[in-house]
Amino acid sequence: MPYAGRILKVDLTRKVVSREPTPEHWKSLYIGGRGFCTRALYEMVPPGTDPLSPANVLVFAVGPLSGTLSPSSGRFTVGCKSPATGLLGDANSGGFFGPELKYAGYDALIIKGASDRPVYLLIEDDWAEIRDASDLVGSGVFRTIDVLTDRHGPDTRVVSIGPAGENLVPYACIMTDKHNAAGRTGVGAVMGSKKLNAIAVRGSHDLYVEDVDGFLAKVRQCHEKLMADKTYPDFSETGTPILVDIAHSGGGLSTKNGQFGLFDGYDHISSAAYSARYRTGSKACFSCILHCKNYARVANPAHACEGMGPEYETLVALGSRVGVSDLDVVLEANQICNDLGLDTISAGTSISFLMECSQRGLVSEKYDWGDGEFVLDALKRIALRQGVGEFLALGVREMSRRIPGSEGYALEVKGLELPAFDVRTGKAFALGEAVASRGGDHLRALPNFELLSYAPEDGVRWFGDPNCVDPYTEAGKPAMVVWHENYAAVCDSVEMCKYCTFATYAILPR
């Protein structure tokens, strides 16, 4: 396995940088990526640690496949104790930062302590330095990345937190390549608490594979399976917006804070509407033939923006879940969240929760479904923690604690807001999100098997129950969720995107 062989450790309190070999038992027991993050946090974060204190540790880790020609090997994991849940927190992102960290010679970057002033970390192969970031304070993610790539070269890869992380919003994320997010559990707030605005990496080390011919043969085989899979055309041509159509067709398009699974404005936010009016081309993360990301442009001067288009989760969280059917607004909202460093799922769900509380008379203020201008303004206020944004920044669990009688409308598990899919139409998804170790999260399991119209005999062959292929029944779902959780842990540890594994089931652990 092509490990880099080293871990970079940074103590921001003491302003000390050190390196040590990657422990051999980490490789054999935890593989990399999420496994490395979890092990490091277990060893280094004492019980009772305040997530926003210097005692919390922030870990960036890549896997043995990162930086290779393996399909979708551009991912990395960020881990810490979560300020949103108080539990194990981690977030996974694609793009190009992960491979660059590997090329710089590191399997993981472990950051502890906190700086007394804003700084950024510059890593260039065997050299790393903590630098002043006072000129970046208050900047959006886009400007920060532009400044650092201009300063250190166009091949520099940057992660940045933006104002949401600086202001310690509990669901602030870490952005890379401007539009790729390590989005969940508030990792951006932990980075902000350390006054670490950004990390810039340039690497030039080679990776060595033991059996090059065998590895390339396996890569070709994986590519062939992916391209032959029935889901490949939709994902490669339309990207994740196609999931809006699939969710709506099954009654699982979360609408008005999950009150409904069908949206009256669906035709306006469907994949067809998005592709016809906004999509200008496909984009891919490192070493990915699926290229499910889209470049999009809004021509309307009132909401003009361009960049990477919204994913399915965002189209729901900032669309149907808040009752907004104007894609001009949804795309601008996505752009705002990316630049400010906000998790679109948690931000949109916090807004939709407040809207339902208003609908039901639990708060005196009036917040109307479908008020796109309010949504756009609220996102900016959340990141700056101003006005109503200060309350929305608390997240759904804490907001609910402060609004008597609202608990039944709070879409969260363990303090993490629920993702887009309405789990009433997918019982394995419901179980997976209920037990997920990082809270209300679909990606700890992602049991798409129940949604893909498999035959009963396939249910028996895979999970021992013919009824498990029916998304509306609980039968056979525990075994299904366990299998998916275990495979998801492997995918997150080798750092391969789940859209190339069991989102399509083209690449399986056998």
Side-chain angles (χ1 to χ4, degrees), residues 377-398:
D377 183 63
L379 293 173
K380 298 170 186 175
R381 290 180 179 273
I382 291 170
L384 299 176
R385 305 194 75 148
Q386 295 176 346
V388 70
E390 177 63 40
F391 186 59
L392 289 165
L394 298 173
V396 168
R397 179 173 64 175
E398 188 58 33

Side-chain angles (χ1 to χ4, degrees), residues 368-380:
D368 294 323
W369 297 113
D371 187 346
E373 293 307 315
F374 170 71
V375 171
L376 297 175
D377 183 63
L379 293 173
K380 298 170 186 175

